[in-house]
Amino acid sequence: MERVPIPTETYKLGFIGAGKMAESIAKGVVQAGVLPPSRICTSHSNPNRCSAFESFGVKILPRNQDVVEDSDVVVFSVKPQVVKDVVLQLSPHLTKKKLLVSIAAGTKLKDLQEWAGHSRFIRVMPNTPAAVGEAASVMSLGGAATEEDGDLIAKLFGSVGKIWKADEKLFDAITALSGSGPAYVFLAIEALADGGVAAGLPRELALGLASQTVLGAASIVTKTGKHPGQLKDDVASPGGTTIAGIHELEKGGFRGTLMNAVVAAAKRGRELSQN
């Protein structure tokens, strides 16, 4: 069967699940001018969640079924443990004319497609920096999703950060790196700030310097395209303070520990997806 193209200029977007991630994506889409809020809708039983969406003009509909019927692109942004029940419940309304998207961690395309009754599905793994427009997202296309469908979703999620396309078999590793990665970086920022306090800095100054330093360093990597090893060498002058600090990090197994964290998280992701 020939797939009906999504009308790029007039399509409507619906969110099944109105949590923080859905809010971040919807807000980013509106702020970037990708869609007006009048063409976005969701539904939720919690008045506070509804108010969050209504605050920037998104329509609130009575039921999830209404959201599906009103939308050309439907994003499932519910918790992984309920996504099966939600997709199955709505499957009679999930026609092949609709492009379906899931951001539920650990839920595979083959299962989503089976529950929905067709394979015009795209799986996306965003991360929490979507809340500030700096997400690292990855998408994988289902069997019936077209390249045009992929372009549309890339534009949507590109409004809240950067997005890559990858084979779904890589998603456990992607989740371990970009999904869990913000927590590793938060830990590093806290540790840097603690080091500053230990060296005599006031707590507020230490935390501000640590967070801005991490932000600045990441920006140099993304904007210059230089290898981080080269950038590290540029900072570490012979016999200086930086190389003394790096020496301590190496003695503590800093790089190996971070690598192990990603590998452990990927392993745990595989275990959870098999349950």
Side-chain angles (χ1 to χ4, degrees), residues 80-123:
Q81 57 266 37
V82 301
V83 68
K84 178 180 181 179
D85 291 340
V86 171
V87 175
L88 284 172
Q89 182 183 24
L90 294 171
S91 60
H93 311 282
L94 302 175
T95 68
K96 294 177 183 179
K97 291 182 179 180
K98 299 182 186 295
L99 172 58
L100 310 180
V101 180
S102 171
I103 62 171
T107 308
K108 294 179 178 177
L109 276 169
K110 68 177 181 63
D111 294 323
L112 292 163
Q113 293 168 167
E114 181 184 331
W115 304 331
H118 67 87
S119 58
R120 195 177 189 178
F121 231 119
I122 295 180
R123 182 180 172 191

Side-chain angles (χ1 to χ4, degrees), residues 122 139 148-163 165:
I122 295 180
M139 67 176 179
E148 290 75 19
D149 291 341
D151 292 342
L152 186 150
I153 295 308
K155 190 171 182 182
L156 277 178
F157 283 83
S159 69
V160 290
K162 294 184 179 179
I163 183 163
K165 188 185 290 186

Side-chain angles (χ1 to χ4, degrees), residues 135-152:
S137 303
V138 182
M139 67 176 179
S140 182
L141 275 58
T146 65
E147 286 301 312
E148 290 75 19
D149 291 341
D151 292 342
L152 186 150

Side-chain angles (χ1 to χ4, degrees), residues 13-243:
L13 173 65
F15 288 90
I16 303 299
K20 293 287 188 181
M21 184 63 78
E23 180 188 346
S24 297
I25 296 163
K27 192 175 289 184
V29 165
V30 170
Q31 290 176 344
V34 177
L35 286 181
S38 59
R39 280 165 47 197
I40 306 174
C41 65
T42 190
S43 178
H44 206 279
S45 58
N46 185 329
N48 292 333
R49 287 282 80 221
C50 293
S51 296
F53 280 80
E54 287 176 321
S55 69
F56 56 98
V58 169
K59 291 187 298 182
I60 304 298
L61 300 181
R63 304 171 301 166
N64 283 339
Q65 179 182 329
D66 300 320
V67 173
V68 171
E69 291 176 350
D70 193 60
S71 305
D72 302 292
V73 179
V74 180
V75 178
F76 288 93
S77 46
V78 295
K79 296 186 187 309
Q81 57 266 37
V82 301
V83 68
K84 178 180 181 179
D85 291 340
V86 171
V87 175
L88 284 172
Q89 182 183 24
L90 294 171
S91 60
H93 311 282
L94 302 175
T95 68
K96 294 177 183 179
K97 291 182 179 180
K98 299 182 186 295
L99 172 58
L100 310 180
V101 180
S102 171
I103 62 171
T107 308
K108 294 179 178 177
L109 276 169
K110 68 177 181 63
D111 294 323
L112 292 163
Q113 293 168 167
E114 181 184 331
W115 304 331
H118 67 87
S119 58
R120 195 177 189 178
F121 231 119
I122 295 180
R123 182 180 172 191
V124 183
M125 179 67 210
N127 64 359
T128 54
V132 291
E134 294 292 350
S137 303
V138 182
M139 67 176 179
S140 182
L141 275 58
T146 65
E147 286 301 312
E148 290 75 19
D149 291 341
D151 292 342
L152 186 150
I153 295 308
K155 190 171 182 182
L156 277 178
F157 283 83
S159 69
V160 290
K162 294 184 179 179
I163 183 163
W164 291 262
K165 188 185 290 186
D167 192 299
E168 190 187 24
K169 68 183 180 183
L170 302 176
F171 267 47
D172 287 326
I174 288 163
T175 301
L177 178 54
S178 58
S180 302
Y184 314 153
V185 177
F186 297 147
L187 202 62
I189 291 171
E190 184 183 31
L192 284 169
D194 284 347
V197 172
L201 294 178
R203 169 64 63 184
E204 188 175 352
L205 176 59
L207 186 54
L209 288 172
S211 54
Q212 183 62 31
T213 297
V214 170
L215 175 64
S219 296
I220 291 176
V221 175
T222 57
K223 290 178 181 178
T224 66
K226 290 184 178 180
H227 190 280
Q230 180 188 344
L231 293 168
K232 176 262 297 177
D233 289 348
D234 291 344
V235 182
S237 53
T241 59
T242 303
I243 196 64

